[in-house]
Amino acid sequence: TTVDKGVDFANYFCTYAFLYHQKEMLSDRVRMDAYYNSVFKNKHHFIGKTVLDVGTGSGILAIWSAQAGAKKVYAVEATKMADHARELVKANNLHDIVEVIEGSIEDITLPEKVDVIISEWMGYFLLRESMFDSVICARDRWLKPTGVMYPSHARMWLAPIRSGLGDHKMSDYEGCMDDWHSFVNETKSYYGVDMSVLTKPFSDEQKKYYLQNSLWNNLHPNQVVGTPTILKEIDCLKVTVEDILKVQAVVSSTITKEDTRLCGFGGWFDVHFKGREENPAECEVELTTAPSVDDGTHWGQQVFLLHPPVRVNEKDEVDMNFSMSRSEENHRLMKVDLAYQIKLSSGKMLTPVSNKFYIE
Amino acid sequence: TTVDKGVDFANYFCTYAFLYHQKEMLSDRVRMDAYYNSVFKNKHHFIGKTVLDVGTGSGILAIWSAQAGAKKVYAVEATKMADHARELVKANNLHDIVEVIEGSIEDITLPEKVDVIISEWMGYFLLRESMFDSVICARDRWLKPTGVMYPSHARMWLAPIRSGLGDHKMSDYEGCMDDWHSFVNETKSYYGVDMSVLTKPFSDEQKKYYLQNSLWNNLHPNQVVGTPTILKEIDCLKVTVEDILKVQAVVSSTITKEDTRLCGFGGWFDVHFKGREENPAECEVELTTAPSVDDGTHWGQQVFLLHPPVRVNEKDEVDMNFSMSRSEENHRLMKVDLAYQIKLSSGKMLTPVSNKFYIE
Ligand SMILES: Nc1ncnc2c1ncn2[C@@H]1O[C@H](CSCC[C@H](N)C(=O)O)[C@@H](O)[C@H]1O
Ligand SMILES: Nc1ncnc2c1ncn2[C@@H]1O[C@H](CSCC[C@H](N)C(=O)O)[C@@H](O)[C@H]1O
């Protein structure tokens, strides 16, 4: 399955060509603080070094790398945003150090290998957008054997949650089906065509839309009703594309709240800046997108809703079988199989339930 | 400029693959009544005839054609919606007459030429989506020399309007720029990067978004403050793709309201079902998307806003120089140059003003 470049641009890159979108990322203080601190509290990784910024966007990470003392920074950006990055570099007087290159990282050539690869490649629930593939490609082609990855590690998390969203979505779906039924009646009586054969496909389409799409949400920490579990741990220096094509995990969470509703699952990620074993960070920095009252990010969490929710109690166990792979139509989108089974604290096992979700 | 099929699918066709979207069109009573009446009040065009439905979608027009007495209907649809159309045809017992063919009209082959081409190809302001190109292609390849087009004629209209939308959009734009200025200050003080060089490009981007995009709107008839003018008249039997690549018109409207604001221009279209000279309709049907209190359509009108608005008075003249062509990046979207000059009823000419708009 090779990717049509034009289609990929229409579906994916196009949004990054807008300053408005770059600004949204640049306004995410949690994200900005983490990258800023990772660079400026670990200047030893940058002083006199060569750096590659994969997907430089506005140029921000390349500029920081230069300000922290890099000798040379290659800032690669696939979209026309490269022109703005170049202006920004110039206006900040770093054009002797930062070289902005417009092109896909997969296509371009650098004159040398680099000491550091820095990139902000994380999508919703870490892997949506599949941009990490490009970072891996850059690493294999351009990172020195002794080089450092920024960030160096990443993890995916999943936890049982409660939420009122599911009820809303269900009533939206039901409203939409009521509407369909009037539509079928009217089309028959006014226009002599019986549309009822399409009721099933329409219902499937709307179910997918309202009930099976994962939702962006900024969860409150007290909506997390069970112990968070780790689905995947990634060492950015070693992972291969093969390793992230599919994420599979069998995990178990203990309900931590008394008499509550299990309404679904919340997924998030964190990344860490630790340098590498032989050349560690002086100050390790973490960027987490976990539910938080004050430190929400533009990534929020991805919520997978159950219809209907299930009553659970403290000490019940939720066994989860999670599997995520890429959508056939668009490799940057994901599909998820999420089966779960509840083991009551009494020891009784409830019937297992399987769900399909889409991260689109 | 050849079109990449995959990109065209990602940008355009994909939405038509959803029943939800087809249902929106099928729920537009003005649209439905017009096509329904055009067929059933002109059965002589259908009885015993062969018909081609270009872009059959759910199959509705093909089904009506068969119900009106057609001998054979070819129903061509580019998207997977073709499967649903086939089911619908079957469920309405017309599978001996209606043959659903999945494919682009440009690519498929029919076993014979047809007596009638029926199609609902109209986009916002008539030509957005550029689907009429496909109908012209179908006509030149598959319509008999004596054949009839449904619809047979189309017109584009433009009129001076008043509207509060422009003030809203202007204050959205201003709010967005205020936000940008705080962002520039914060980025400088927290993160040591001076973003002010991007102020101009950001402002241009946002101006385009808020002020230069034409807007979908269902205008009230009393928002039309001058006599409507015709920009283009199309005979569907004769028009070529060349004729519609660019729409240029110099037109003049007389203000019909006392002391009012000229806030912009509203564009709409109508189509007619008149058959052809040698084989006219028995009952001519019109489908208009003009501003209307009771008969709004899903097309609404396209509104081009002026910033700032201008005070005008009854009997003032507005001379308009209108030019619309296709966007370079996407041939289904349009760009518009709209220059106007006001001639006061006193005879005095105000300074002419030029605007660029995008129909995206
Ligand atoms: N394969 C690839 N080659 C080059 N640029 C890419 C790429 N895949 C994604 N990108 C770019 O990577 C950027 C990711 S968003 C991050 C932007 C910037 N580094 C910041 O932290 O603010 C987007 O601008 C996108 O266009
Ligand atoms: N070149 C082409 N070949 C085949 N189908 C096309 C086409 N261009 C557009 N279409 C299809 O034409 C339809 C236009 S919408 C109209 C649908 C239907 N005839 C109705 O009146 O309700 C869409 O379903 C779109 O997918």
Side-chain angles (χ1 to χ4, degrees), chain A residues 12-13 16-17 22 25-26 31-32 35 53-61 76-79 81 103-106 119-121 129 131 134 332:
Chain A
Y12 171 68
F13 283 110
Y16 286 110
Q22 297 286 339
M25 299 185 288
L26 296 167
R31 187 191 90 107
M32 290 290 276
Y35 273 87
D53 178 2
V54 178
T56 201
S58 62
I60 188 76
L61 304 182
V76 179
E77 170 58 39
T79 72
M81 193 50 56
S104 291
I105 192 73
E106 288 82 357
S119 179
E120 200 279 78
W121 50 265
E129 300 185 24
M131 184 181 159
S134 301
R332 298 190 183 273

Side-chain angles (χ1 to χ4, degrees), chain A residues 277-288:
Chain A
E277 229 175 300
E278 318 88 278
N279 186 8
E282 281 171 1
C283 171
E284 285 190 10
V285 172
E286 176 186 69
L287 165 53
T288 176

Side-chain angles (χ1 to χ4, degrees), chain B residues 334-359:
Chain B
M334 303 287 154
K335 53 181 204 274
V336 167
D337 286 297
L338 213 177
Y340 71 93
Q341 180 167 30
I342 294 170
K343 188 159 122 207
L344 300 180
S345 55
S346 68
K348 190 185 167 197
M349 302 290 280
L350 301 187
T351 317
V353 181
S354 292
N355 288 286
K356 252 194 179 348
F357 296 100
Y358 303 91
I359 308 180

Side-chain angles (χ1 to χ4, degrees), chain A residues 4 6-7 10-11 17-21 23 26-30 32-33 36 40 58 60 63-64 67 81 84-85 87-88 91-92 176 179-180 183 186-188 190-198 201-202 205-206 210, chain B residues 4 6-7 10-11 17-21 23 26-30 32-33 36 40 58 60 63-64 67 81 84-85 87-88 91-92 176 179-180 183 186-188 190-198 201-202 205-206 210:
Chain A
D4 178 318
V7 173
N11 282 332
F18 290 97
L19 283 166
Y20 185 86
H21 186 56
K23 173 170 171 280
L26 296 167
S27 304
D28 179 334
R29 295 291 278 269
V30 173
M32 290 290 276
D33 286 348
Y36 184 84
F40 289 99
S58 62
I60 188 76
I63 288 172
W64 285 342
Q67 289 176 335
M81 193 50 56
H84 298 311
E87 287 181 81
L88 195 64
N92 285 273
C176 180
D179 207 59
W180 171 264
F183 163 73
E186 285 174 18
T187 308
K188 179 77 195 135
Y190 290 114
Y191 303 116
V193 178
D194 180 0
M195 294 261 165
S196 56
V197 70
L198 297 180
F202 183 76
E205 181 185 300
Q206 297 308 305
Y210 285 111
Chain B
D4 178 318
V7 173
N11 282 331
F18 290 97
L19 283 165
Y20 185 85
H21 187 55
K23 173 170 171 281
L26 296 167
S27 304
D28 179 334
R29 296 289 280 269
V30 173
M32 291 290 274
D33 285 348
Y36 185 83
F40 287 100
S58 62
I60 188 76
I63 287 173
W64 284 343
Q67 288 176 336
M81 193 50 55
H84 297 312
E87 287 182 80
L88 195 64
N92 285 271
C176 181
D179 206 59
W180 170 264
F183 163 75
E186 286 174 18
T187 307
K188 180 77 196 136
Y190 291 115
Y191 303 115
V193 177
D194 180 359
M195 293 263 166
S196 56
V197 69
L198 297 181
F202 183 76
E205 182 186 298
Q206 297 308 306
Y210 286 111

Side-chain angles (χ1 to χ4, degrees), chain B residues 33-50:
Chain B
D33 285 348
Y35 274 86
Y36 185 83
N37 290 330
S38 79
V39 172
F40 287 100
K41 293 191 174 169
N42 293 290
K43 288 194 179 173
H44 68 294
H45 279 149
F46 293 86
I47 293 172
K49 304 293 185 186
T50 52

Side-chain angles (χ1 to χ4, degrees), chain A residues 38-57:
Chain A
S38 78
V39 172
F40 289 99
K41 295 190 172 169
N42 291 291
K43 288 193 181 173
H44 67 296
H45 278 150
F46 292 87
I47 294 172
K49 305 294 186 186
T50 53
V51 178
L52 167 59
D53 178 2
V54 178
T56 201

Side-chain angles (χ1 to χ4, degrees), chain B residues 12-13 16 22 25-26 31 53 55-57 60-61 76-79 103-106 120 131 134:
Chain B
Y12 171 67
F13 283 110
Y16 286 111
Q22 297 287 340
M25 297 185 288
L26 296 167
R31 187 191 90 108
D53 178 2
T56 199
I60 188 76
L61 305 182
V76 180
E77 169 59 38
T79 73
S104 291
I105 193 73
E106 288 82 356
E120 201 279 77
M131 182 181 160
S134 301

